Amino acid sequence: MVKRFPFPSTYRFAQFALDAFTAGFAFYLAFPIRFEGSVVPPHDTIAIVLPLLAIPGRLLTNAAFGLYQQVWRLFGFKDFIRLFNAVTFFSLFTLVLTRLLLPRWWLNFVGVPLGVSVIDWCFCLMGMVALRYARRRSAQQPLWRRRQRNEPQKRVLLIGAGQAGSLVAQEVRQNPSLNFKVVGFLDDDRTKVGRTVEGIKVLGTTSQLVAIAQYHQVKEVLIAMPSARAEQIRHIVALARGTSLDLKIIPSHGELLRDRSLAPQAREIQIQDILGRAEIHLDFAEQFDTLFSSAQEQVAGRTILVTGAGGTIGSEICRQIARLAPQRLLLLGRGENSIFHVERSLKRQFPTVEMTPLIADIRHRDRIEWILKTWQPDIIFHAAAHKHVPLMQHNPTEALENNSLASAQLAALAQRYGVKSFVMISTDKAVDPRNFMGASKRLAELLVKAQAHQSNTRFLVVRFGNVLGSRGSVVPIFQEQIARGGPVTVTDREMTRYFMTAPEASQLVIQSLAVGKSGQTLILDMGQPVRIYDLAEQAIELAGFVPHVDIPIEIIGLRPGEKLHESLVCKVETVEITPHPKIVAVVGGIPDFQAAEQAILMLQNATQNVNDSEELWAIAQQCQTALESSNCLTRISTREQRIS
């Protein structure tokens, strides 16, 4: 092992020497330049002595300003500001000392001429900046030359000559390992056309994309507009359709928060980029500091249990929670492989968070009770559920047992073992359901909320629409069908659905802790529903094909229990605002506890003894009607609101 001594390194001595030479040489040059080649007698002593004093003075000032803690090969704008301040401070100090202070004590002393001081300041600043910039360029040049010899650069066209485009151009220039060459910008602001950004010309507008790309032999186009609207991206995709151009996009502002480097984050355009609704970020922002800090305070330092942690939503909830520094994160799931992969992924991202994988079926009461008794979680996020509508139509007892009865059992155990908050994840299919999956989730909502009566545990339900990219959802199915050459199947040309991304859904679940009162159901503002037929066409276009020409779209008709349009609020519910402008609460009262117990007994008996689907459906509807009945509904008490 090499022992380190508290002396400056050879590299640091080189920095001192170069700056010392620059400081002395700048002062020596300032006098003959100011006096046109000669130094007048009153100043000849100053011209000899002051440069000798300027060398240690400049070095001490630079050291005081932290200039020798900088890495010269990474010299940037902030480093320049610090250098500017150091050089200016010493020049002003020299002027004050020699022209104001010393003449008072030494009457015959002639101060440094103002012109000499200005010239010295300019030369010193330019010289020191030049040294650092030369070091930076020398560090980049060898890699640049190797890249030129070994691998041709990718010629890239940037769309968006704004701040993001400027940052991408800077990063490409500063990081030759990216192996990009930006040939120009495109921007729809015509006042920018013909001008330059970061020394790169704005060649035209986006409508000229194909012609400009062909002229400059560009194969890759990068959309550098993180706040671009969906219609803008759709327009660019339409222009590139039928060409060999490879379109990529800089992520949204929310994604950029995770990594400020822009160019390496460029990714393929995804469905959510062109849905027509900007992604909602419920992150911890300054404008909602009080609201969001309360959610963070409830998670930080606590033990959090997530059921269904191996699923799309459950794993994303775990990822968002891990950012908030819980004391322990319990990952509960039935599938060992999914829990194994999620735990590994989370440990790579959050090595300081203590995590415990738990393999269990939420229907097994003894196992779940042991987990709650052993680990004593403060908060439970209940994401475990069967979600596929057609499968649950064929297996209704599974839907009722896993989604309804197991949720009610988990909520009851949470109350018994002192869980502070219980958040259940629901779906828009629970609104006035027409299928077993929706009915089972609606019953789960009602049975969980029934536990809110006279309970110290806060029970919340979070309801949202389809999650883009989740396993078995429509987008992966479309992509699989496109990869096979089609056809892409759509049940009905007019069918619509609400969509949101997994980060949006998981952030809503966590933020429910900040805004939700016990017994409430919370919904995210998901904008307007999206027509599935349009989504199919866009998925085909993003894959580089022409809908109905390269890939056909086939209408197969509604499946049993499937709705043409989903809604977010039941007929018996009313909407209330919350402190968050993008989250609303729907309130329909809380089912009576005795009614909930009777419903549980009916469902248990039905799942064990009834095999006929129609009879099971009738029993499920009877239980739902009883729970929603006005005779069983009560408003949340003042005591419970105080608890929440």
Side-chain angles (χ1 to χ4, degrees), residues 362-594:
I362 59 171
R363 291 181 290 188
H364 296 164
R365 180 186 179 89
D366 292 343
R367 171 66 171 155
I368 298 301
E369 189 168 8
W370 181 87
I371 289 172
L372 297 185
K373 187 187 301 184
T374 302
W375 299 104
Q376 298 181 342
D378 298 291
I379 301 172
I380 294 177
F381 291 98
H382 177 38
H386 289 321
K387 67 174 185 175
H388 294 290
V389 172
L391 285 178
M392 293 305 100
Q393 283 299 103
H394 294 296
N395 302 275
T397 55
E398 279 291 313
L400 294 172
E401 285 184 358
N402 191 72
N403 293 356
S404 305
L405 293 173
S407 296
Q409 175 180 273
L410 182 62
L413 290 174
Q415 178 180 332
R416 175 181 297 182
Y417 289 99
V419 174
K420 293 180 174 62
S421 295
F422 182 100
V423 183
M424 176 192 150
I425 285 74
S426 189
T427 169
D428 55 0
K429 293 172 180 62
V431 176
D432 302 323
R434 294 183 186 174
N435 52 65
F436 276 105
M437 185 273 179
S440 66
K441 293 298 286 185
R442 177 58 179 160
L443 287 169
E445 289 184 358
L446 296 168
L447 294 173
V448 166
K449 290 162 71 171
Q451 295 290 334
H453 285 291
Q454 306 302 318
S455 173
N456 290 326
T457 300
R458 178 172 51 153
F459 290 94
L460 302 171
V461 174
V462 179
R463 187 189 292 163
F464 43 73
N466 293 29
V467 177
L468 284 167
S470 62
R471 289 181 295 189
S473 62
V474 64
V475 173
I477 291 175
F478 284 167
Q479 291 170 338
E480 180 185 338
Q481 292 173 334
I482 292 168
R484 293 201 310 262
V488 171
T489 57
V490 177
T491 53
D492 191 283
R493 184 181 287 268
E494 299 303 320
M495 174 178 278
T496 62
R497 289 292 182 268
Y498 289 97
F499 284 97
M500 64 194 311
T501 65
E504 284 180 308
S506 59
Q507 289 166 18
L508 166 64
V509 171
I510 296 172
Q511 298 306 345
S512 67
L513 295 175
V515 301
K517 299 176 182 179
S518 190
Q520 282 185 331
T521 299
L522 301 174
I523 301 175
L524 179 71
D525 175 12
M526 288 182 284
Q528 296 300 315
V530 177
R531 205 165 69 125
I532 302 298
Y533 193 85
D534 295 338
L535 199 65
E537 291 184 323
Q538 292 162 0
I540 294 170
E541 290 173 357
L542 286 182
F545 299 105
V546 179
H548 313 293
V549 177
D550 301 322
I551 304 289
I553 299 177
E554 181 181 335
I555 306 298
I556 61 174
L558 289 174
R559 293 170 292 185
E562 202 167 34
K563 290 182 182 178
L564 195 60
H565 307 289
E566 298 284 5
S567 56
L568 298 172
V569 182
C570 294
K571 296 175 183 176
V572 297
E573 295 174 329
T574 57
V575 177
E576 294 181 357
I577 63 171
T578 71
H580 195 292
K582 292 295 183 180
I583 300 177
V584 297
V586 292
V587 180
I590 303 175
D592 181 75
F593 189 73
Q594 284 72 29

Side-chain angles (χ1 to χ4, degrees), residues 315-365:
S315 61
E316 187 63 32
I317 290 174
C318 292
R319 193 166 289 108
Q320 299 290 341
I321 290 173
R323 296 170 54 201
L324 306 182
Q327 181 183 17
R328 183 187 295 273
L329 184 54
L330 306 174
L331 314 175
L332 190 150
R334 188 169 59 177
E336 60 170 336
N337 288 330
S338 58
I339 294 296
F340 172 76
H341 290 301
V342 168
E343 184 197 14
R344 287 189 64 196
S345 173
L346 290 173
K347 282 186 174 179
R348 282 196 303 269
Q349 289 182 269
F350 308 99
T352 60
V353 177
E354 190 172 351
M355 300 177 196
T356 303
L358 299 168
I359 306 302
D361 190 324
I362 59 171
R363 291 181 290 188
H364 296 164
R365 180 186 179 89

